[in-house]
């Protein structure tokens, strides 16, 4: 299949995770990892990437939201036996298909791995994870000695996000670092 080979050089971005199959018709349960649920709309193209990094381009045939999980049937499959192997796989899109974000908004993959420095140039560590507990996101910074710093993503704390240089400058509010 020559057409599919073009995808291999593109940078891919995760938009969901296949957690299980659903029923016997080949539907999959997908936990979304995107702020754009329309990624799973009928007719959209996605790429399933399994644990061996094998890529399978797919097209959404049917999709419905059920208890925060999408139940999706891809045009390429019609039987549970065709899709069982995708459990645990990631659903991705090509980076060029990402939607442009508003100023001050970032994709998770842009933030994770960024170096965190204070106003006075003290290097704290790298962002390892993003939590979404409620009103605002929390960026988890891995500190030396296995400790973690939880940074609330609010204007008082996050001063400058420099994606090209993978650096985030913060104001270390009292009580954040114990």
């Amino acid at each position: 299949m020559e057409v599919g080979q073009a995808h291999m050089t593109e940078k891919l971005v995760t938009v969901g995770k296949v957690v299980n199959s659903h029923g016997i018709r080949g539907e999959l349960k997908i936990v979304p990892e995107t702020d754009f649920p329309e990624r799973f709309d009928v007719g959209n193209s996605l790429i399933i990437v399994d644990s061996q990094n094998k890529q399978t381009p797919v097209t959404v045939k049917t999709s419905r939201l059920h208890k925060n999980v999408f139940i999706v049937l891809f045009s390429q499959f019609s039987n549970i036996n065709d899709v069982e192997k995708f459990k645990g796989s990631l659903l991705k899109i090509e980076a060029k298909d990402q939607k442009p974000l508003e100023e001050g908004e970032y994709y998770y993959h842009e933030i994770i791995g960024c170096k965190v420095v204070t106003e006075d140039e003290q290097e704290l560590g790298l962002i390892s994870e993003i939590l979404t507990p409620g009103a605002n996101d929390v960026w988890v910074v891995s500190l030396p000695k296995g400790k973690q710093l939880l940074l609330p993503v609010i204007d008082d704390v996050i001063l400058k996000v420099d994606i090209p240089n993978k650096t985030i400058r913060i104001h270390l509010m009292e009580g954040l670092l114990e």
Side-chain angles (χ1 to χ4, degrees):
M1 182 171 102
E2 279 306 301
V3 182
Q5 297 307 312
H7 290 292
M8 304 310 165
T9 54
E10 284 291 335
K11 181 168 169 26
L12 299 179
V13 178
T14 301
V15 294
K17 181 173 184 174
V18 178
V19 290
N20 211 336
S21 54
H22 179 81
I24 59 170
R25 295 199 337 260
E27 289 179 310
L28 290 169
K29 285 186 181 180
I30 295 163
V31 174
E33 293 182 15
T34 174
D35 287 331
F36 302 105
E38 59 272 18
R39 291 272 174 228
F40 305 106
D41 285 357
V42 173
N44 280 356
S45 297
L46 298 166
I47 302 165
I48 299 176
V49 181
D50 66 19
S51 55
Q52 277 78 48
N53 224 12
K54 180 174 176 290
Q55 298 180 9
T56 308
V58 291
T59 308
V60 178
K61 184 175 183 182
T62 65
S63 172
R64 64 188 186 278
L65 189 58
H66 178 71
K67 295 182 182 168
N68 299 331
V69 176
F70 281 93
I71 310 287
V72 177
L73 179 65
F74 294 111
S75 305
Q76 290 77 357
F77 309 109
S78 59
N79 186 301
I80 186 171
N81 299 324
D82 298 336
V83 297
E84 281 284 303
K85 62 184 177 210
F86 295 125
K87 272 189 207 170
S89 296
L90 296 175
L91 272 175
K92 300 193 177 226
I93 57 164
E94 291 180 15
K96 68 177 176 52
D97 292 337
Q98 283 185 307
K99 295 185 179 334
L101 297 177
E102 299 289 319
E103 191 175 330
E105 292 184 338
Y106 307 95
Y107 284 107
Y108 282 20
H109 70 88
E110 293 176 314
I111 297 297
I112 291 176
C114 281
K115 180 172 59 177
V116 176
V117 294
T118 62
E119 298 159 283
D120 51 12
E121 301 303 321
Q122 180 191 357
E123 212 172 291
L124 297 178
L126 299 179
I127 295 187
S128 59
E129 179 179 8
I130 296 176
L131 307 175
T132 53
N136 51 273
D137 286 0
V138 174
W139 293 346
V140 180
V141 183
S142 293
L143 303 172
K145 301 189 185 95
K147 290 196 181 334
Q148 290 184 329
L149 165 65
L150 301 179
L151 282 181
V153 182
I154 54 176
D155 291 344
D156 291 347
V157 174
I158 309 296
L159 301 178
K160 182 172 192 296
V161 177
D162 181 352
I163 296 300
N165 295 309
K166 298 289 280 174
T167 305
I168 295 172
R169 186 170 305 281
I170 67 159
H171 168 65
L172 200 53
M173 290 173 75
E174 206 172 313
L176 276 181
L177 206 53
E178 312 228 330

